């Protein structure tokens, strides 16, 4: 199969293991995101795939050619990859055009120039072709780096935190442009980021890398958001509310009704994590599962509001929750407010030692 | 916006993927490093080779004298450079007085003056028949030697003064950098806690700058141990002088090597203290924002004193000797002699340029290998290869001669066995031998400069180039070399200038009857023919000014608060 195949990578710096039996596949034309906290070894994996870091254990193949096994590694220049660095690493002594044609040395001068200009036109920078990198804005530099990496039509593109150097206003636009361009080139892309929203926006598939160096979950963005395998992954994608308590008769009773479980036995503590949008508020007539709440405060974020509530009745009486509601929310006008939990946004785990 | 991927496969051609000799960088580094280390190993080896029982003879006769004199000289030069260098650096960075901006770079000028040249000049001025004593005799009506006391310039004290006058800039440079790197905050904190400027200097600024100062003094001491021209002329019996004596006059290479190996111990102590200081230096930067340093304006008397101190130092170390040489060169100018000197200058330039190019190439190979391959072995080789800079030229010359002699004999043997031809001494006593010696001695200098230049290029540059399909060599050529062109040129220039000034190795290793500017000056000035030597000496000084100009430019360009 075309694309990148990484199998059984172990990597350690001295005693400190940063990658533990990591395997993943990036099919041609797909964008896979490696998501994890900083310092968890995701950039290391990228550098091993590129051949910039020595492989310690495991195997890497690109388009069915093995490029790295212990004892026999292709140097990075023979792997036909594109790598985009976090700081872009544009050559300061070369013009934009020379930067982009740097990897095109197998073409004739003319052909290399044409190809470079073609890439620059795709990122709308033909006018800057003869400028030097330091005269460009951050967003322009990012686009040059992308054009340079893609110019030799690599078999695999590796992106290391490609948007972290941009301010938030520009980031969304560049992200969109980059995605469009990658989808058109149909290149297998492995991207590293610590920003869950970025991962969800960009990728066909997300791999969550834990601090222990293991891949915790690998799934489509929608699955990883709505079916996180554990509390760590769930919390990675945003703040949550927590309900905890022992299981009785196959379920945990709460003010929002019973959270049923098949695999947690009676007497064991269960934890229910509820995303903020999973707490649904309304002030109409009460339905089954609704519970009356007091509104403590509301904070408008623009497109949505965060509302602090306190449960009035039932097992969670007195407990405080946070809810995200669309648009603005005025506590004074809302009258009696009811809350219920959208079960798609509630995730149940048994409590492990050390959970708080 | 369309991206074509119609071409069959990636654009980049498939290059032969794996080359067994791609470790050429490692091989090259081991080779160059091995070459650079071999003379030092040879000296050590020779020292332990039982020869005629010269060792006991040396120990009983001259050795204690050598040790005492060398220690005396080192102590004197160490104290002298410390005082002058630190005082000048403090005045120039922290105080404001007339001429400060000029002295900022002017204090470096004596660096251009080789110690042996200044020694010839001052001897000429201060000896019994010289103008100073003559004037004193005329003024006071003394008639002879017994009527008055005058310090003897040809003594350990004289040598100390000469070496101090031209070596203090090392301490000045590093102390200045250390003072500039200090955050203003610490000094202001000290003042706010009630300590005056003097106490703040001694209790805060000086201790913080100590590692830099120690490094500067180590450089000065290495040069002191290396010096041959001054001590030879003054007949001061240091180790370097002793090596020459045992060798040239007693014709005993084992004895010379044994002396050389003891000298290596002295060197080791200096190098270790330098390394130690360097390690500590890292912890001494307390971080924080570096602001332009506050200036203490000096007024009236103090300002005059500061200006006088700086001016006198530069005048004694550079101005006066240059003037004397100029006067001599003018008076003794002779077209035939000038043509002769031009020829020697040609020799010097050729040799030094060759050595400069070799040293830069070797430094690039070593520094780049360490960068891309890493590994303890390569790093160790890099360190060892740089060690030659600390080793006195006379010691290295002994090693170089031995190595080349072995090579020549081996080659000769093989050629005679195989082809019945004797090649004789192919390398010994040739230009190749001298350039090899220069390379071994100054590789450390070029390596340090190239490493610094390479270190400023982020590793992302390597990664970007390699991932775009360029190999290690192409990356060096297309990315690193253009980016560190300045460092490479500086390295070449520094080695070139040091080779132009070099004396002890050149004397030992040069081909028969081969003169460079330095050997010519040494020969004539030792014969008290300073007039004939003046033009050549001035040429050496003129070349020596190049790196001073370079350093001044760096100082001038650096913004306030920035360490050049």
């Amino acid at each position: 199969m075309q694309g990148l195949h990484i199998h059984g990578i172990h990597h350690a710096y001295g005693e400190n293991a940063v990658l533990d039996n990591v395997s993943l596949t990036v099919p041609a034309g797909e964008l896979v995101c490696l998501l994890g906290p900083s310092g968890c070894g995701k950039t290391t994996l990228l550098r091993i795939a590129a051949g910039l870091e020595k492989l310690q254990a495991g195997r890497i193949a690109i388009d069915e050619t093995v490029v790295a096994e212990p004892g026999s590694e292709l140097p990075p220049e023979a792997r036909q990859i594109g790598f985009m660095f976090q700081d872009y690493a544009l050559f300061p002594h070369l013009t934009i055009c020379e930067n982009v044609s740097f990897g095109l040395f197998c073409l004739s001068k003319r052909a290399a120039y044409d190809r470079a200009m073609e890439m620059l036109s795709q990122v709308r920078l033909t006018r800057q072709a003869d400028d030097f990198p330091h005269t460009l804005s951050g967003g322009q530099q990012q686009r040059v780096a992308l054009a340079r990496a893609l110019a030799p039509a690599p078999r695999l593109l590796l992106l290391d935190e490609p948007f972290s150097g941009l301010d938030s206003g520009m980031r969304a636009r560049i992200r969109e442009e980059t995605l469009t361009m990658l989808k058109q080139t149909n290149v297998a892309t492995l991207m590293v980021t610590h920003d869950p929203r970025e991962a969800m926006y960009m990728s066909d598939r997300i791999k969550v890398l834990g601090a222990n160096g293991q891949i915790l979950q690998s799934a489509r963005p929608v699955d990883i958001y709505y079916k996180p395998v554990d509390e760590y992954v769930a919390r990675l994608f945003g703040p949550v509310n927590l309900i905890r308590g022992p299981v009785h008769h196959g379920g945990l009773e709460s003010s929002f009704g019973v959270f049923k479980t098949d695999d947690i036995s009676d007497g064991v503590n269960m934890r229910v994590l509820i995303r903020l949008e999973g707490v649904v508020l309304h002030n109409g007539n009460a339905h089954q599962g609704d519970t009356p709440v007091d509104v403590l405060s509301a904070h408008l974020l623009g497109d949505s509001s965060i509302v602090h509530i306190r449960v009035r009745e039932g097992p969670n009486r007195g407990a405080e929750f946070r809810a995200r509601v669309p648009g603005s929310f005025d506590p004074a006008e809302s009258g009696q407010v009811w809350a219920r939990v959208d079960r798609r946004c509630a995730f149940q785990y048994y409590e492990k030692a050390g959970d708080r | 916006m369309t991206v074509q991927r119609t071409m069959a496969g990636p654009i980049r051609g498939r290059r032969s993927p794996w080359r067994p000799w791609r470790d050429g960088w490692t091989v090259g580094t081991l080779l160059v490093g091995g070459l650079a280390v071999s003379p030092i190993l040879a000296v050590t080896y020779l020292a332990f080779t039982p020869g005629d029982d010269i060792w006991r003879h040396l120990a009983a006769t001259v050795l204690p004298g050598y040790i005492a004199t060398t220690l005396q000289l080192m102590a004197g030069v160490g104290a002298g450079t410390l005082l002058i260098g630190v005082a000048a650096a403090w005045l120039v960075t922290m105080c404001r007085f007339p001429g400060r901006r000029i002295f900022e770079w002017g204090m470096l000028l004596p660096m251009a003056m080789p110690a042996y040249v200044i020694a010839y000049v001052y001897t000429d001025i201060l000896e019994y028949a010289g103008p100073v004593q003559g004037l004193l005799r005329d003024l006071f009506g003394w008639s002879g030697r017994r009527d008055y006391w005058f310090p003897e310039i040809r003594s350990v004290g004289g040598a100390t003064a000469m070496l101090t006058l031209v070596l203090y800039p090392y301490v000045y440079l590093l102390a200045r950098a250390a003072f500039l790197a200090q955050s203003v905050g610490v000094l202001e904190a000290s003042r706010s806690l009630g300590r005056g400027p003097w106490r703040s200097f001694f209790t805060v600024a000086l201790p913080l700058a100590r590692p830099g100062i120690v490094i500067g003094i180590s450089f000065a001491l290495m040069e002191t141990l290396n010096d041959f021209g001054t001590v030879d002329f003054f007949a001061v019996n240091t180790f370097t002088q002793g090596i020459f004596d045992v060798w040239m006059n007693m014709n005993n290479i084992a004895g010379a090597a044994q002396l050389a190996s003891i000298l290596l111990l002295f060197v080791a102590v200096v190098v270790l203290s330098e390394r130690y200081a360097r390690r500590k230096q890292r912890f001494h930067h307390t971080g924080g924002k570096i602001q332009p340093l506050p200036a203490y304006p000096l007024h009236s008397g103090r300002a005059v004193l500061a200006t006088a101190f700086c001016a006198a130092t530069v005048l004694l170390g550079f101005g006066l000797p240059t003037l004397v040489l100029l006067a001599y060169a003018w008076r003794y100018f002779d077209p035939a002699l000038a043509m002769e000197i031009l020829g020697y200058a040609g020799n010097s330039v050729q040799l030094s340029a060759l050595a400069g190019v070799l040293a830069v190439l070797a430094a690039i190979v070593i520094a780049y290998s360490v960068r891309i391959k890493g590994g303890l072995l390569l790093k160790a080789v890099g360190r060892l290869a740089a060690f030659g800079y600390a080793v006195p030229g006379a010691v290295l010359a002994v090693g170089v001669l031995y190595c080349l002699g072995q090579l020549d004999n081996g080659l000769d043997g093989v050629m005679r066995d195989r082809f019945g031809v004797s090649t004789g001494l192919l390398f010994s006593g040739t230009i190749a031998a001298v350039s090899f010696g220069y390379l071994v001695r100054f590789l450390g200098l070029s390596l340090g400069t190239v490493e610094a230049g390479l270190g400023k290029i982020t590793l992302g540059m390597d990664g970007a180039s390699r991932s775009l399909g360029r190999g290690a060599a192409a990356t060096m050529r297309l990315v690193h070399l253009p980016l560190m062109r300045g460092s490479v040129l500086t390295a070449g220039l520094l080695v070139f200038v040091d080779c132009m000034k070099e004396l002890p190795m050149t004397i030992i290793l040069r081909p028969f009857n081969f003169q460079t500017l330095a050997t010519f000056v040494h020969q004539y000035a030792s014969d008290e023919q300073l007039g004939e030597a003046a033009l050549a000496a001035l040429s050496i000084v003129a070349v020596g000014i190049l790196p001073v100009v370079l350093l001044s430019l760096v100082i001038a360009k650096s913004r306030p608060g920035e360490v050049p």
Side-chain angles (χ1 to χ4, degrees):
Chain A
M1 201 175 81
Q2 301 277 297
L4 169 71
H5 304 269
I6 288 178
H7 185 79
I9 300 277
H10 285 273
H11 201 87
Y13 293 115
E15 293 282 287
N16 182 20
V18 289
L19 294 171
D20 182 7
N21 194 22
V22 171
S23 299
L24 61 86
T25 296
V26 186
E30 279 202 11
L31 195 155
V32 172
C33 239
L34 207 55
L35 177 70
S38 42
C40 75
K42 45 193 199 311
T43 296
T44 305
L45 185 67
L46 219 55
R47 293 179 59 85
I48 294 174
L52 297 171
E53 191 94 25
K54 207 170 154 53
L55 181 77
Q56 293 177 348
R59 181 160 35 83
I60 295 169
I62 302 174
D63 289 358
E64 288 165 353
T65 323
V66 174
V67 297
E69 275 176 316
S72 112
E73 284 184 74
L74 281 184
E77 60 266 27
R79 294 193 183 189
Q80 300 177 8
I81 48 154
F83 197 117
M84 211 181 112
F85 294 83
Q86 191 170 0
D87 61 354
Y88 315 136
L90 298 178
F91 302 122
H93 61 301
L94 301 179
T95 63
I96 301 309
C97 184
E98 287 168 340
N99 261 285
V100 175
S101 56
F102 191 87
L104 301 171
F105 52 95
C106 285
L107 299 180
S108 71
K109 248 199 175 122
R110 182 78 227 165
Y113 176 79
D114 290 345
R115 171 74 178 161
M117 290 310 282
E118 179 201 330
M119 293 309 294
L120 282 178
S121 78
Q122 282 172 26
V123 293
R124 293 174 289 108
L125 284 172
T126 24
R127 276 199 307 145
Q128 283 82 4
D130 294 327
D131 294 348
F132 283 91
H134 65 91
T135 63
L136 267 55
S137 71
Q140 289 173 324
Q141 291 187 7
Q142 196 271 356
R143 277 142 59 198
V144 174
L146 184 67
R148 184 178 72 174
L150 285 175
R155 300 189 293 186
L156 167 70
L157 181 65
L158 302 165
L159 306 174
D160 185 6
E161 304 266 9
F163 310 109
S164 65
L166 305 170
D167 58 61
S168 55
M170 180 137 40
R171 196 178 296 181
R173 217 184 70 219
I174 299 271
R175 204 153 66 183
E176 206 173 311
E177 286 180 10
T178 306
L179 190 59
T180 316
M181 194 156 164
L182 292 180
K183 284 298 160 194
Q184 283 172 344
T185 44
N186 204 34
V187 63
T189 306
L190 180 60
M191 174 176 133
V192 151
T193 182
H194 66 270
D195 180 351
R197 291 169 165 276
E198 195 169 290
M200 301 236 288
Y201 183 91
M202 298 285 290
S203 54
D204 299 300
R205 192 164 275 274
I206 294 177
K207 318 261 174 184
V208 177
L209 195 62
N212 57 1
Q214 290 174 344
I215 291 190
L216 303 176
Q217 188 169 9
S218 164
R220 296 182 304 145
V222 58
D223 291 332
I224 222 158
Y225 190 77
Y226 288 112
K227 289 168 192 161
V229 290
D230 61 15
E231 194 169 331
Y232 176 81
V233 177
R235 284 182 183 274
L236 203 56
F237 288 86
V240 288
N241 297 293
L242 173 69
I243 299 176
R244 57 184 287 268
V247 174
H248 270 301
H249 308 299
L252 173 65
E253 290 208 25
S254 78
S255 301
F256 304 99
V258 178
F259 291 96
K260 286 213 157 58
T261 175
D262 296 329
D263 36 273
I264 302 176
S265 38
D266 281 8
V268 174
N269 270 355
M270 179 161 110
R271 296 163 72 82
V272 181
L273 271 62
I274 308 159
R275 295 208 186 282
L276 299 199
E277 69 269 29
V279 178
V280 184
L281 306 180
H282 68 95
N283 55 0
N285 296 322
H287 297 285
Q288 172 91 49
D290 285 355
T291 189
V293 296
D294 292 329
V295 174
L296 304 176
S297 65
H299 307 273
L300 178 64
L301 297 177
D303 54 351
S304 63
S305 298
I306 303 292
V307 183
H308 287 248
I309 54 170
R310 183 184 289 135
V311 175
R312 261 205 225 148
E313 291 174 2
N316 300 105
R317 182 163 175 264
E320 290 178 15
F321 289 84
R322 283 171 295 165
R324 189 199 314 268
V325 298
S328 69
F329 187 94
D330 189 349
E333 289 181 4
S334 55
Q336 174 57 53
V337 174
W338 305 89
R340 67 182 172 83
V341 166
D342 177 354
R343 296 301 167 105
R344 284 199 315 148
C345 295
F347 320 117
Q348 303 171 190
Y349 309 102
Y350 70 89
E351 187 163 285
K352 299 185 291 275
D355 279 348
R356 295 197 58 211
Chain B
M1 234 167 82
T2 53
V3 177
Q4 296 164 357
R5 208 176 139 85
T6 46
M7 41 243 8
I11 287 176
R12 207 179 293 138
R14 292 196 180 241
R15 327 187 73 203
S16 53
W18 188 76
R19 301 165 196 190
W21 49 268
R22 75 192 157 126
D23 258 24
W25 292 103
T26 310
V27 174
T29 300
L30 292 180
L31 211 69
V32 174
L35 269 178
V37 176
S38 55
I40 303 172
L41 293 181
V43 170
T44 323
Y45 165 77
L46 278 174
F48 289 107
T49 314
D52 3 323
D53 206 5
I54 182 127
W55 188 241
R56 201 171 300 158
H57 173 71
L58 283 178
T61 53
V62 286
L63 194 58
Y66 288 159
I67 291 181
T69 316
T70 304
L71 284 178
Q72 239 177 311
L73 195 62
M74 284 172 80
V77 174
T81 51
L82 172 75
L83 276 178
I84 299 183
V86 172
W90 180 258
L91 285 175
V92 162
T93 45
M94 294 299 198
C95 305
R96 296 292 172 267
F97 56 92
R100 186 195 70 91
R101 297 206 70 90
I102 294 170
F103 289 125
E104 211 165 24
W105 57 268
M107 296 307 292
L108 294 173
L109 278 173
M111 256 184 147
M113 194 63 75
Y116 52 84
V117 168
I118 199 177
Y120 303 142
V121 172
Y122 278 108
T123 308
D124 192 69
I125 302 175
L126 296 177
E127 68 186 350
Y128 181 72
V132 173
Q133 293 199 40
L135 185 71
L136 288 175
R137 282 195 299 270
D138 287 349
L139 272 181
F140 298 102
W142 298 323
S143 57
R145 231 176 252 280
R146 258 166 287 162
D147 293 345
Y148 63 99
W149 177 85
F150 195 82
E152 171 57 57
I153 175 85
R154 295 189 169 205
S155 62
V156 179
T160 306
M162 297 300 107
L163 288 167
T164 301
L165 275 179
V166 296
L167 293 181
Y168 82 82
Y170 287 106
V171 182
Y172 165 74
L173 259 180
L174 282 142
R176 180 178 174 278
F179 288 143
L180 281 179
Q182 286 172 11
S183 111
V184 191
V186 257
L187 281 177
E188 285 175 347
S190 167
R191 297 294 293 278
S192 71
L193 290 167
R195 302 206 163 182
W198 280 101
R199 286 192 66 194
S200 296
F201 170 73
F202 281 109
T203 54
V204 178
L206 201 57
L208 278 176
R210 193 169 50 205
I213 296 171
V214 171
I215 295 171
I217 294 180
S218 326
F219 284 152
L221 291 183
M222 285 175 199
E223 289 298 320
T224 306
L225 289 174
N226 176 54
D227 173 78
F228 164 70
T230 313
V231 294
D232 176 56
F233 188 53
F234 285 0
V236 172
N237 289 319
T238 61
F239 264 106
T240 310
Q241 161 74 6
I243 292 171
F244 270 84
D245 194 44
V246 171
W247 186 340
M248 298 274 185
N249 302 336
M250 301 185 205
N251 213 359
N252 186 328
I253 191 168
Q258 280 162 352
L259 279 183
S261 63
I262 301 189
L263 184 47
L264 273 183
L265 286 182
F266 280 75
V267 172
V269 171
V270 175
V271 169
L272 284 179
S273 53
E274 190 250 20
R275 288 264 159 236
Y276 180 70
R278 232 174 242 286
R279 228 169 18 140
K280 283 188 92 174
Q281 194 178 34
R282 253 180 255 151
F283 305 108
H284 271 294
H285 288 287
T286 42
K289 236 167 81 184
I290 294 174
Q291 297 159 349
L293 291 160
Y296 303 135
L298 300 180
H299 296 298
S300 55
R302 288 182 169 194
V304 170
L305 271 181
T307 310
F309 168 75
C310 292
T313 311
V314 180
L315 211 63
L316 287 176
F318 182 81
L320 189 63
T322 309
L323 281 178
V324 171
L325 286 175
L326 274 173
Y328 268 122
W330 180 256
R331 189 159 10 124
Y332 285 78
F333 185 79
D334 164 23
L337 183 70
M339 285 315 289
E340 198 186 330
I341 290 175
L342 201 62
Y344 303 148
N347 287 344
S348 279
V349 169
Q350 272 178 22
L351 256 182
S352 308
L354 179 65
V357 171
L358 286 178
V360 167
L361 287 179
I364 289 176
V365 168
I366 293 175
Y368 192 53
S369 301
V370 171
R371 180 183 175 99
I372 62 176
K373 301 279 178 198
L376 281 178
L377 176 69
L378 288 186
K379 279 182 193 159
V381 169
R383 275 285 151 77
L384 282 176
F387 188 66
Y389 192 54
V391 181
V395 177
L396 282 181
V398 173
V400 168
L401 267 194
Y402 179 77
C403 290
L404 291 182
Q406 293 293 26
L407 184 67
D408 281 339
N409 286 337
L411 209 60
D412 187 56
V414 169
M415 293 301 276
R416 260 194 287 197
D417 286 351
R418 290 277 167 86
F419 308 103
V421 206
S422 168
T423 52
L425 299 179
L426 264 187
F427 296 104
S428 303
T430 61
I431 306 279
V434 188
S435 346
F436 175 50
Y438 285 173
L439 173 66
V440 173
R441 170 124 167 82
F442 297 121
L443 180 56
L445 190 58
S446 59
L447 193 58
T449 316
V450 169
E451 266 174 354
L454 210 50
K456 283 191 203 132
I457 302 171
T458 60
L459 283 170
M461 292 288 137
D462 301 55
S465 169
R466 300 295 289 275
S467 70
L468 287 166
R470 302 283 195 167
T475 302
M476 179 78 224
R477 185 168 48 85
L478 297 168
V479 179
H480 294 102
L481 268 187
L483 285 177
M484 60 174 200
R485 203 176 41 204
S487 302
V488 168
L489 288 177
T490 308
L493 177 72
L494 290 180
V495 174
F496 175 82
V497 171
D498 265 359
C499 290
M500 292 289 287
K501 297 200 255 179
E502 214 288 335
L503 184 60
M505 288 179 91
T506 320
I507 292 185
I508 299 181
L509 295 174
R510 66 180 163 161
F512 184 67
N513 258 348
F514 181 85
Q515 291 279 36
T516 64
L517 285 179
T519 60
F520 174 81
V521 171
H522 171 69
Q523 184 180 325
Y524 273 75
S526 308
D527 288 347
E528 314 235 326
Q529 290 179 284
L530 189 56
E532 280 80 356
L535 189 58
L538 273 177
S539 320
I540 297 178
V541 174
V543 174
I545 286 185
L546 287 176
V548 174
V549 171
L550 209 68
L551 280 169
S552 324
L553 286 180
V554 174
I555 287 178
K557 260 195 293 184
S558 60
R559 291 190 304 272
E562 187 192 357
V563 187

